[in-house]
């Protein structure tokens, strides 16, 4: 491989107090002030106009949960005729609206990868979107001396380790701003710069649910309301397709998503307890609107709601990728001799795992080679998730480039959409059956 960069290897991972409300109608959205048990007052916003009463009412769901209703019964009440379906692991891309027309300035306590290089803790990367990718500057701290400059056709910053539910030290943090799970990237919408968070959908919901509902409700009999909220929010996000480079956004125009800043163990548990569950209409994911209607709201005709893809049309979550560099901005990393030696070993491993050649009639018998299970070593689709970074570096020997795995960028987008492979359908908690859907009214007692 050019310049001794290690082969990018992939391994599989397993998915594995009441409130006081002050409404302020402005621009069709609602601002609510939640009084938390610790006395802190926090802004809270609902998806859609305050009090529109369309779909799940957060207050109504809370009262129903306290009366002993399950999440399934709550959802069946607000979305009559919808079914509960199952999805496999998948990612969602979120436009970070406050970052519009800005560079992406990012750091991490554990370091990260960008442009095929590892950036260590204490350093930051600054990405400026270009028509072909991004220009990259690495600095000491967020505003220190310049350590490295270059360009790449893969405009993404990757955490040091891929996969969902990673520790806080590995999250990517905007300089002077919020922290995010998953990868961060840049795109152009016309001539305007956009910042995008590509993140596992349940990691995304860990930020959304506590921003939309009060986590402390779980301590007062409202845990099932939080779980119903998680299902509605998951469905809403996955049914969206607002931009060529992102499905949804992080404001009240979509769903509130402040990154990791409001994550709470109680709402994270609600997300985990509902993993893989989505609302369906005619087999397609329902864009399930909800609100904070204080009167409890009312059921919605689901035919008036938009729908998105089928569960099978969702692109599967990517397999984790490691991209060890030969040299970091500070000169650290593996030497070329060691890198080449490791490449040889990895190539030998690949040869040993290869299927045997077709045997002729006189060939000696060979020992069978067990092949990987379907999908076990397949590279992920680039339809909705970033791919391992290509390499463009500047060193003492001049510019050297290695072709990356990133797909070509569509007009205004980050990565072109290949035909999305079928997502794996998994068993999920509750009445959901893998590969099937069930009526929400089942077992509800209504």
């Amino acid at each position: 491989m050019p310049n001794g960069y290690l082969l990018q290897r992939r391994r599989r991972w397993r998915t594995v107090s009441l409130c006081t409300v002050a409404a302020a109608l402005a621009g069709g959205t609602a601002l609510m002030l939640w009084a938390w048990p610790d006395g802190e007052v926090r802004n809270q916003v609902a998806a859609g106009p305050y009090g529109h009463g369309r779909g799940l009412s957060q207050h109504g769901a809370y009262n129903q949960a306290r009366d002993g209703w399950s999440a399934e019964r709550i959802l069946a009440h607000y979305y009559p005729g919808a079914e509960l379906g199952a999805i496999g692991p998948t990612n969602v891309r979120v436009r970070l609206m406050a970052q519009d027309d800005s560079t992406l300035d990012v750091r991490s306590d554990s370091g990260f990868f960008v442009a095929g290089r590892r950036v260590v803790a204490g350093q930051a990367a600054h990405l400026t979107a270009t028509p072909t990718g991004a220009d990259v500057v690495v600095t000491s701290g967020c505003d220190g001396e310049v350590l490295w400059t270059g360009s790449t056709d893969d405009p993404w910053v990757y955490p040091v380790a891929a996969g969902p539910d990673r520790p806080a030290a590995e999250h990517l943090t905007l300089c002077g701003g919020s922290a995010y799970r998953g990868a961060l990237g840049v795109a152009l919408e016309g001539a305007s710069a956009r910042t995008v968070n590509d993140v596992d959908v349940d990691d995304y919901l860990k930020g959304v649910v506590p921003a939309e509902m009060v986590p402390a409700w779980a301590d007062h009999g409202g845990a099932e309301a939080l779980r119903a909220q998680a299902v509605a929010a998951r469905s809403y996000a996955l049914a969206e397709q607002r931009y060529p480079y992102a499905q949804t956004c992080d404001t009240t125009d979509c769903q509130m998503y402040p990154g990791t800043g409001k994550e709470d163990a109680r709402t994270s548990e609600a997300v985990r307890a509902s993993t893989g569950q989505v609302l369906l209409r005619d087999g397609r994911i329902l864009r399930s609107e909800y609100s904070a209607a204080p009167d409890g709201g009312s059921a919605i005709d689901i035919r008036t709601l938009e729908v998105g893809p089928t569960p099978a049309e969702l692109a599967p979550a990517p397999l984790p990728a490691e991209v060890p560099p030969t040299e970091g901005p500070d000169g650290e990393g593996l030497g070329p001799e060691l890198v080449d030696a490791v490449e040889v070993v990895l190539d030998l491993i690949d040869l040993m795992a290869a299927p045997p050649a077709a045997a002729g009639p006189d060939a000696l018998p060979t020992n069978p080679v067990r092949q990987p299970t379907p999908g076990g070593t397949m590279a992920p689709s680039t339809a909705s998730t970033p791919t391992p970074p290509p390499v463009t570096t500047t060193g003492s020997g001049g510019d050297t480039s290695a072709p990356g795995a990133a797909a070509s960028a569509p007009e205004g987008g980050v990565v072109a959409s290949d035909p999305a492979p079928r997502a794996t359908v998994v068993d999920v908690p509750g009445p959901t059956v893998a590969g099937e859907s069930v009526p929400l009214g089942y077992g509800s007692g209504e």
Side-chain angles (χ1 to χ4, degrees):
M1 194 169 183
N3 299 321
Y5 276 84
L6 292 176
L7 295 174
Q8 298 171 359
R9 305 292 179 176
R10 301 180 180 275
R11 64 178 183 272
R12 290 189 64 84
W13 51 270
R14 293 183 303 175
T15 303
V16 190
S17 154
L18 296 173
C19 63
T20 301
V21 181
L25 289 176
T29 61
L31 173 67
M32 290 165 282
L33 301 180
W34 297 107
W36 283 43
D38 59 8
E40 180 181 359
V41 177
R42 303 189 181 187
N43 294 335
Q44 201 81 1
V45 189
Y50 170 74
H52 62 44
R54 290 170 57 83
L56 181 145
S57 160
Q58 293 162 330
H59 294 283
Y62 172 59
N63 290 328
Q64 291 162 349
R66 296 191 70 191
D67 288 340
W69 289 32
S70 68
E72 289 79 14
R73 185 178 178 186
I74 293 170
L75 292 167
H77 171 76
Y78 286 111
Y79 306 101
E83 295 179 321
L84 196 62
I87 63 168
T90 191
N91 279 25
V92 62
R93 284 186 174 180
V94 187
R95 174 183 172 184
L96 306 185
M97 304 284 281
Q99 285 289 114
D100 282 0
D101 302 313
S102 300
T103 59
L104 170 57
D105 308 301
V106 63
R107 62 175 183 83
S108 173
D109 292 341
S110 296
F112 53 85
F113 295 110
V114 65
R117 308 176 71 87
R118 177 158 183 177
V119 178
V120 301
Q123 299 173 351
H126 311 268
L127 279 69
T128 302
T130 68
T132 58
D135 292 331
V136 184
V137 178
V138 176
T139 61
S140 176
C142 285
D143 53 5
E145 64 174 318
V146 174
L147 303 175
W148 180 84
T149 62
S151 62
T152 178
D153 60 359
D154 179 14
W156 291 95
V157 178
Y158 301 88
V160 70
D165 201 24
R166 301 300 304 175
E170 296 179 7
H171 300 167
L172 301 178
T173 302
L174 299 178
C175 289
S178 302
Y180 293 87
R181 297 176 182 270
L184 293 171
V186 294
L188 287 178
E189 185 174 22
S192 301
R194 301 289 183 253
T195 296
V196 181
N197 181 204
D198 188 291
V199 59
D200 174 85
V201 69
D202 279 7
D203 279 355
Y204 162 75
L205 292 174
K206 289 174 186 176
V208 169
V209 178
E212 292 285 1
M213 255 192 188
V214 180
W217 283 358
D219 302 331
H220 301 275
E224 288 299 291
L226 297 179
R227 189 159 71 87
Q229 173 72 78
V231 175
R234 182 183 293 110
S235 306
Y236 186 95
L238 294 178
E240 291 238 277
Q241 189 56 66
R242 292 189 176 229
Y243 319 103
Y245 51 85
Q247 291 155 267
T248 190
C249 67
D250 64 342
T251 70
T252 56
D253 287 342
C254 307
Q255 298 183 110
M256 276 300 296
Y257 172 56
T260 64
K262 290 188 177 180
E263 287 188 8
D264 186 280
R266 294 162 293 192
T267 46
S268 293
E269 177 56 33
V271 172
R272 282 189 291 269
S274 67
T275 293
Q277 293 180 325
V278 292
L279 296 172
L280 303 177
R281 190 193 81 199
D282 300 329
R284 293 190 170 275
I285 299 174
L286 188 68
R287 187 173 176 267
S288 43
E289 297 179 18
Y290 56 89
S291 78
D295 60 356
S298 59
I300 189 171
D301 180 356
I302 63 172
R303 295 285 169 183
T304 66
L305 297 176
E306 297 175 2
V307 292
T310 67
E313 291 170 343
L314 294 174
L319 304 178
E322 293 182 353
V323 191
T326 55
E327 185 179 10
D330 56 357
E332 296 179 354
L334 299 176
E337 296 82 3
L338 180 56
V339 170
D340 291 340
V342 174
E343 280 190 9
V344 171
V345 173
L346 294 176
D347 288 340
L348 288 173
I349 292 173
D350 287 343
L351 288 173
M352 293 172 65
D362 300 325
L364 294 175
T366 59
N367 292 326
V369 176
R370 183 171 64 86
Q371 296 303 303
T373 56
T377 59
M378 293 296 290
S381 166
T382 58
S384 69
T385 55
T387 54
V391 178
T392 303
T393 64
T394 303
S396 59
D399 290 347
T400 56
S401 299
S408 59
E411 182 178 355
V414 177
V415 176
S417 295
D418 297 329
R422 296 176 64 87
T424 303
V425 180
V426 298
D427 289 322
V428 296
T432 306
V433 179
E436 300 178 359
S437 60
V438 296
L440 276 169
Y442 179 79
S444 67
E446 292 188 311

